[in-house]
Amino acid sequence: VQLVESGGGLAQPGGSLRLSCAASGFRFISYYMSWFRQAPGKELEWVSSIDGNGNVANYTDSVKGRFTISRDNIESTLYLQLDSLKTEDSAKYYCTRGWKSKMDIGTPRGGQGTQVTVTS
């Protein structure tokens, strides 16, 4: 199992970014997938999860209506579209298998995360 996040960067408040998570080593469509984030000095926070077919998604309240999770099961890639960004969205974002599960984060299977910094 390998997960590699990308797409982070610097954005202004109100701006957008699209995060990607390239997955390999497992049958992607068989797994729920999730995004978590961690800001400096704060605990890991669940952001969003999606089912295997991409039909059911859930979001933490603070990002509802602004973030959109999606997946491409042909390319084995998970996405997180970040719109209307706020400074409080600044964090390192991680993808992982599972529904609201952080099972791969901090393990050799997980990626290094991708940094999102929102600043004017």
Side-chain angles (χ1 to χ4, degrees):
V1 174
Q2 186 173 19
L3 301 167
V4 179
E5 303 92 347
S6 63
L10 196 62
Q12 292 186 336
S16 297
L17 288 171
R18 190 192 196 201
L19 309 184
S20 299
C21 169
S24 61
F26 63 99
R27 191 168 184 263
F28 187 67
I29 195 172
S30 295
Y31 283 83
Y32 294 100
M33 295 292 296
S34 296
W35 286 99
F36 282 76
R37 65 185 180 185
Q38 188 167 29
K42 294 190 176 181
E43 292 188 355
L44 195 65
E45 176 191 23
W46 170 75
V47 176
S48 182
S49 296
I50 189 168
D51 75 323
N53 291 318
N55 296 325
V56 178
N58 202 2
Y59 302 89
T60 192
D61 285 346
S62 62
V63 309
K64 282 181 182 176
R66 301 189 299 117
F67 291 7
T68 304
I69 191 172
S70 63
R71 63 192 295 160
D72 183 336
N73 287 336
I74 302 298
E75 297 295 329
S76 296
T77 302
L78 177 71
Y79 299 102
L80 188 66
Q81 178 69 38
L82 285 60
D83 296 318
S84 302
L85 281 163
K86 302 178 180 180
T87 55
E88 52 262 44
D89 295 320
S90 296
K92 184 165 280 190
Y93 285 71
Y94 300 89
C95 66
T96 181
R97 294 175 296 168
W99 184 267
K100 297 187 179 181
S101 167
K102 43 189 171 182
M103 63 185 294
D104 295 309
I105 298 174
T107 77
R109 304 181 300 271
Q112 297 299 309
T114 187
Q115 180 68 42
V116 171
T117 303
V118 185
T119 179
S120 55

